[in-house]
Amino acid sequence: METTTPSAGAQVRSPWRRLLGPTLTVWVGLAVLAITNGILREALLAPALGDGVAHVLSTLLLAAAVATVAALFVRRFAHEADRRTLLSIGGLWTVLTLAFEFGFGRYVVGKSWAVLLADYDVLAGRIWVLVPLTLLVAPLVAARYVERR
């Protein structure tokens, strides 16, 4: 039986290219989680706890949900994905989230840039910046965690 090796011109499918579709699918699920989180924050948490506490609590809950989803997603391929691939997944999730958040908020809802940026003002007690940071690093951290188990 003859074995074949990839020739110089043959394309070897990288983990990143193979994972792009599933990465986008997971991001859609994360977007649904984030929208649901925002609805619950406004409908339940803010009236009961006040805006500041509701913001912090919903941010922490969403960051935990993102980390959990990332761990579930990454465990299937953690052993074969390199650092660059994992950071690319997190980077794509972060860019898509920020584009959606600012694009939808500005051009669909009509919020001003100042209002949109207010959630990123850590000095004012707004910690929303944890969500994009979690999106960015969650695949890498989850893979390292899965590899150690």
Side-chain angles (χ1 to χ4, degrees):
M1 179 174 245
E2 184 178 313
T3 60
T4 59
T5 58
S7 65
Q11 283 190 348
V12 177
R13 196 162 185 207
S14 72
W16 172 242
R17 291 189 67 200
R18 187 173 48 75
L19 293 170
L20 183 57
T23 296
L24 292 171
T25 301
V26 169
W27 178 79
V28 170
L30 290 170
V32 170
L33 269 174
I35 291 167
T36 303
N37 176 279
I39 291 168
L40 292 174
R41 180 187 63 240
E42 295 303 316
L44 301 175
L45 295 177
L49 304 172
D51 186 54
V53 174
H55 167 79
V56 170
L57 185 57
S58 81
T59 299
L60 294 174
L61 288 170
L62 184 57
V66 166
T68 302
V69 169
L72 293 171
F73 176 57
V74 166
R75 74 179 179 178
R76 297 180 299 154
F77 61 85
H79 62 284
E80 67 183 86
D82 61 5
R83 179 183 174 109
R84 184 177 182 180
T85 299
L86 294 163
L87 286 174
S88 295
I89 291 168
L92 181 59
W93 285 351
T94 303
V95 168
L96 289 172
T97 299
L98 293 173
F100 178 79
E101 179 181 359
F102 286 101
F104 185 83
R106 176 74 175 142
Y107 300 110
V108 176
V109 178
K111 292 182 178 180
S112 70
W113 293 114
V115 168
L116 291 169
L117 291 171
D119 278 337
Y120 292 86
D121 186 357
V122 178
L123 297 176
R126 308 301 277 189
I127 62 167
W128 186 252
V129 70
L130 290 177
V131 171
L133 289 175
T134 302
L135 285 162
L136 179 63
V137 301
L140 179 63
V141 171
R144 298 303 174 244
Y145 175 77
V146 168
E147 287 176 347
R148 289 185 187 148
R149 296 189 100 217

